[in-house]
Amino acid sequence: MSDQEVPNTAPDVAPDGDADTADRSDLMEKVVGLCKRRGFIFQSAEIYGGFRSTYDYGPLGVNLLRNVKNAWWEAMVQCRDDVVGLDASILSPPAVWEASGHLSNFSDPLVDCMKCHQRWREDKIEGVCPSCGSTEFTEPRAFNLMFKTHAGPIEDEGAVAYLRPETAQGMFINFANVLQTTRKKPPFGIAQVGKSFRNEITPQNFVFRTREFEQMEMEYFVPPAEAQTWFEYWLAERFNWYLRLGIPESEIRLRHHEASELAHYAAGVADVEFLFPWGWDELEGIANRSDFDLKAHGEASGEKLEYYDQTANERYVPHVIEPAAGATRTMMAFLLSAYSEDEVGGESRTLLKLHPKLAPYQVGVLPLSKKETLEPLARSVLAMLQPHFMCDYDTTQSIGKRYRRQDEVGTPWCVTIDFDSLEDGAVTVRDRDTTEQVRIPIDGLLAELRRRMDEA
Ligand code: GAP
């Protein structure tokens, strides 16, 4: 695919076969089209022909992505007293990646097709060149996925730095800092949301696999004997988070890794998988990482990364349970899951049935007419709601068209101010999914919308 082309929607992983993907075959195209048309996601550097595998999040996409990250932060940090946050640097020295194993192991096996000379990931091509069908390839070579750069003005070996390929290491190398400053004791977690970079060989499927993406990761440090219990606890917590935010049970599952799939240090891994249009694929990995990371950084740095349990007079290296999710990938799953089409009054409509917490706008404020008489009241309703909800103020075209536009971007509630509102001090609140309309006094509007939000 050339850099100029629109996002590739072809599968880069084999479907499972058990998934009923037939009715979802054109879903990807529809969602990619909607994302561009309505300003969720643009191809990066589009005016220069585009830059492959990088995307810009537009006015609606940035709201949705932020809401996904906020919903994660709320569940993982805000509503818990055993998890604290961190925002570590993206640029990091080789020592971190030497100790973590990324410099020697974080690679994909690459082969070149002998006929058309295209380069592929060996594990993704099933023995046949996807471009020309040839079955002859060079021997596989390991290709490290980290982006390497130089910090400072001199580009020599001493100045080498890496863009982090995961946020996780930031939590391990700050373990002692956090322990000292927060006085937490195991079990406790450190959470981080932020950008990660991987020089993926086959970035594909829109924002599913990109070279620059966002992760939401938490490292939960536990006494060694409790690791399996906490691993199971986090499997359930994370699975339920997606259900609570509206992904139906038919589109999500947990897949436990076979022993042969596990890294040598991992005592157990399970993926939360989503039914993408090409089949089941990973949304999040939850791993029991044993004491590997703290031990590795402890040995390499010479710092003691341990916990001293005063009551038991015992010193130990905590084990780590890690729920690691992709924010951009999760946002895509929410979009795919929410996309629907139905008919209202004999007319077809497109709607995103996004959970109100995730919707780019929670409320559309729509004065029925552009006439100046309605504007002051409509603007006062907008000003009342804005500190509490992300609102869109729309005065263009007919009210029916405006409802459709809000449905298409997932706005759960529209508030219409009409000429009666000037008399009775009430507005019409329309529900996206049912299209039901009710009249509500303006002085009770905020409380009513908050009630609906809480109940969603
Ligand atoms: N610290 C563990 C770790 O990074 P991972 O399975 O490599 O584990 C965690 O990544 C999550 O990050 C994945 O489940 C996925 O959602 C997201 N992710 C990984 N690589 C990605 C990429 N190239 N593009 C988008 N999301 C990605």
Side-chain angles (χ1 to χ4, degrees):
M1 189 181 90
S2 81
D3 286 350
Q4 282 83 347
E5 284 171 38
V6 289
N8 186 347
T9 58
D12 63 339
V13 281
D16 253 16
D18 61 335
D20 179 13
T21 51
D23 59 339
R24 307 182 103 215
S25 57
D26 57 353
L27 177 61
M28 189 77 165
E29 239 166 81
K30 287 178 172 172
V31 168
V32 171
L34 175 68
C35 280
K36 170 141 202 211
R37 191 171 70 249
R38 296 306 311 272
F40 281 87
I41 301 174
F42 306 122
Q43 197 176 12
S44 195
E46 200 174 6
I47 62 166
Y48 291 104
F51 185 44
R52 190 179 178 202
S53 173
T54 51
Y55 294 92
D56 296 342
Y57 291 78
L60 295 188
V62 75
N63 287 355
L64 175 56
L65 183 57
R66 188 167 290 204
N67 291 343
V68 169
K69 293 184 284 185
N70 285 348
W72 186 90
W73 195 263
E74 185 188 302
M76 301 296 280
V77 183
Q78 187 184 330
C79 291
R80 306 188 62 100
D81 62 3
D82 58 348
V83 180
V84 292
L86 182 79
D87 194 353
S89 73
I90 286 171
L91 274 180
S92 33
V96 173
W97 309 106
E98 185 85 62
S100 70
H102 283 77
L103 271 174
S104 44
N105 297 325
F106 195 57
S107 56
D108 280 340
L110 272 196
V111 291
D112 290 350
C113 171
M114 305 275 256
K115 199 167 155 203
C116 71
H117 307 293
Q118 294 244 35
R119 190 162 287 176
W120 305 102
R121 254 176 79 170
E122 189 197 25
D123 55 331
K124 295 285 180 195
I125 55 172
E126 293 173 351
V128 180
C129 174
S131 178
C132 72
S134 165
T135 51
E136 286 185 67
F137 299 96
T138 57
E139 285 299 308
R141 280 165 302 126
F143 173 79
N144 195 291
L145 298 180
M146 282 196 293
F147 280 98
K148 191 176 180 179
T149 186
H150 292 91
I154 298 168
E155 294 199 355
D156 64 9
E157 268 307 296
V160 166
Y162 291 93
L163 301 190
R164 65 181 178 199
E166 60 172 23
T167 59
Q169 299 303 321
M171 275 81 96
F172 300 131
I173 62 177
N174 279 290
F175 171 78
N177 286 337
V178 174
L179 200 62
Q180 273 158 24
T181 52
T182 64
R183 314 198 70 76
K184 293 276 173 213
K185 46 183 178 200
F188 82 99
I190 311 177
Q192 177 167 206
V193 174
K195 288 234 169 172
S196 293
F197 302 81
R198 296 181 189 180
N199 198 2
E200 299 280 3
I201 295 140
T202 48
Q204 260 181 344
N205 287 330
F206 200 32
V207 295
F208 178 81
R209 181 177 293 112
T210 49
R211 296 197 172 117
E212 176 178 344
F213 56 98
E214 281 195 82
Q215 288 188 305
M216 310 183 288
E217 297 195 284
M218 198 269 287
E219 309 303 322
Y220 199 70
F221 301 96
V222 302
E226 296 176 20
Q228 181 60 21
T229 310
W230 285 111
F231 176 58
E232 282 158 27
Y233 168 88
W234 282 110
L235 290 186
E237 278 294 300
R238 295 303 307 143
F239 191 75
N240 288 330
W241 182 81
Y242 294 95
L243 294 182
R244 281 203 306 278
L245 289 170
I247 305 235
E249 274 187 77
S250 56
E251 291 174 11
I252 194 168
R253 72 179 188 187
L254 267 180
R255 185 183 73 80
H256 285 265
H257 284 207
E258 305 287 331
S260 59
E261 289 178 81
L262 298 179
H264 63 95
Y265 54 83
V269 176
D271 289 343
V272 178
E273 293 191 333
F274 176 72
L275 186 53
F276 285 94
W278 58 90
W280 291 101
D281 215 334
E282 178 185 335
L283 265 190
E284 166 164 359
I286 298 142
N288 176 348
R289 299 179 62 97
S290 70
D291 56 3
F292 173 79
D293 308 279
L294 290 183
K295 264 201 175 144
H297 285 298
E299 277 162 22
S301 67
E303 291 283 326
K304 276 206 168 71
L305 301 182
E306 311 173 325
Y307 175 71
Y308 173 59
D309 181 344
Q310 277 179 325
T311 332
N313 190 21
E314 184 185 69
R315 200 173 278 285
Y316 65 86
V317 178
H319 283 218
V320 170
I321 310 301
E322 176 195 68
T328 36
R329 189 179 287 187
T330 299
M331 165 180 164
M332 177 175 163
F334 281 125
L335 279 169
L336 288 164
S337 183
Y339 184 93
S340 24
E341 293 167 353
D342 66 5
E343 249 185 43
V344 176
E347 265 185 51
S348 63
R349 71 164 175 162
T350 299
L351 72 160
L352 287 182
K353 288 187 173 175
L354 287 169
H355 190 286
K357 252 191 185 167
L358 301 180
Y361 297 122
Q362 277 87 47
V363 188
V365 177
L366 317 175
L368 187 65
S369 132
K370 269 192 197 156
K371 288 217 172 84
E372 279 169 19
T373 37
L374 286 186
E375 195 180 341
L377 184 60
R379 287 213 169 267
S380 73
V381 170
L382 178 69
M384 175 181 79
L385 298 178
Q386 272 174 329
H388 310 278
F389 300 105
M390 187 60 83
C391 300
D392 186 29
Y393 186 73
D394 188 3
T395 60
T396 57
Q397 296 191 303
S398 73
I399 193 72
K401 285 205 173 120
R402 280 183 273 165
Y403 284 153
R404 295 291 169 279
R405 278 210 300 272
Q406 296 294 340
D407 291 342
E408 197 183 39
V409 299
T411 311
W413 305 295
C414 285
V415 171
T416 304
I417 295 95
D418 57 24
F419 292 100
D420 288 344
S421 307
L422 298 172
E423 305 297 323
D424 64 4
V427 290
T428 302
V429 175
R430 172 187 178 273
D431 182 274
R432 174 194 69 202
D433 299 345
T434 62
T435 73
E436 190 189 65
Q437 302 189 12
V438 290
R439 199 86 185 147
I440 293 179
I442 292 173
D443 59 12
L445 179 65
L446 180 56
E448 168 62 15
L449 291 174
R450 280 178 147 173
R451 188 192 61 76
R452 290 185 185 202
M453 190 77 179
D454 288 345
E455 282 180 6

